[in-house]
Amino acid sequence: MFPWSPLVFAIAMVVACVAALVRGRWEERLLGATYLAACMASLAVEKRPWTGPQGAVIAIDAIVLALAIGVVLGSRKLWPVIAAAFQVLTVGAHLAFIGAEGRLGAAGYLTVLAVWSYGMVGCLAWGAGSQLPLPERLRPRSLRKGYEVHGAPAAPAAPARAEPVDRRCDDGAP
């Protein structure tokens, strides 16, 4: 890993969490605040130099997982499901390293945790970004507020009429 990657992660995490807190609905706000608090708490309880999994950090990640699962159960959005999956992978990495009993390298373990953390930050950014309105040029005409054609309000759409079907698709006609 590059020496500046923890700084990049810290900046990305703070930006995504603050965006989730400012722009988000209840899902984004809850997980943004939880993840920001969990990262700060992990830094506070982590013992240095790092020698292996630490119970307090695992407990913090398990609490974040429980809250993420709660958000998934109460939400109708996709991004919390993926965020919870990344948190499952994080807790699973802790448990796998404990189960390996020292046969896994610390660098690999920390790299896996960093990758899943970037995934979680990406999901938070996705959630916060999904609350932004589409730019006017990209918005479909039916969703534009006050869409007018040459200064006149748009006419309501006529109800669709069913047209009779005079042939079947499998009758061999071109």
Side-chain angles (χ1 to χ4, degrees), residues 3-167:
W4 46 266
S5 63
L7 179 63
V8 170
F9 173 75
I11 292 169
M13 188 254 320
V14 169
V15 167
C17 290
V18 168
L21 290 170
V22 171
R23 293 289 304 169
R25 293 197 175 129
W26 71 269
E27 299 100 331
E28 291 84 7
R29 289 181 180 163
L30 180 61
L31 279 181
T34 300
Y35 198 68
L36 186 61
C39 287
M40 297 304 149
S42 293
L43 287 173
V45 300
E46 185 177 59
K47 296 176 185 152
R48 302 262 177 169
W50 189 87
T51 57
Q54 299 172 10
V57 176
I58 296 171
I60 291 168
D61 284 338
I63 291 169
V64 173
L65 174 60
L67 285 170
I69 290 172
V71 169
V72 167
L73 294 176
S75 177
R76 297 178 66 193
K77 298 178 182 178
L78 175 63
W79 76 265
V81 175
I82 299 171
F86 279 119
Q87 199 60 32
V88 166
L89 292 170
T90 299
V91 173
H94 289 305
L95 298 177
F97 195 81
I98 292 170
E101 298 174 349
R103 293 183 300 238
L104 297 176
Y109 170 63
L110 292 174
T111 301
V112 166
L113 291 180
V115 168
W116 302 148
S117 295
Y118 275 112
M120 184 71 159
V121 167
C123 287
L124 281 170
W126 174 12
S130 67
Q131 302 305 316
L132 297 173
L134 285 174
E136 186 68 29
R137 294 178 60 195
L138 298 178
R139 198 175 312 159
R141 289 182 178 177
S142 62
L143 297 178
R144 292 183 185 163
K145 292 182 181 178
Y147 179 73
E148 299 175 359
V149 178
H150 302 294
R161 295 183 184 169
E163 296 183 19
V165 178
D166 58 348
R167 62 185 165 136

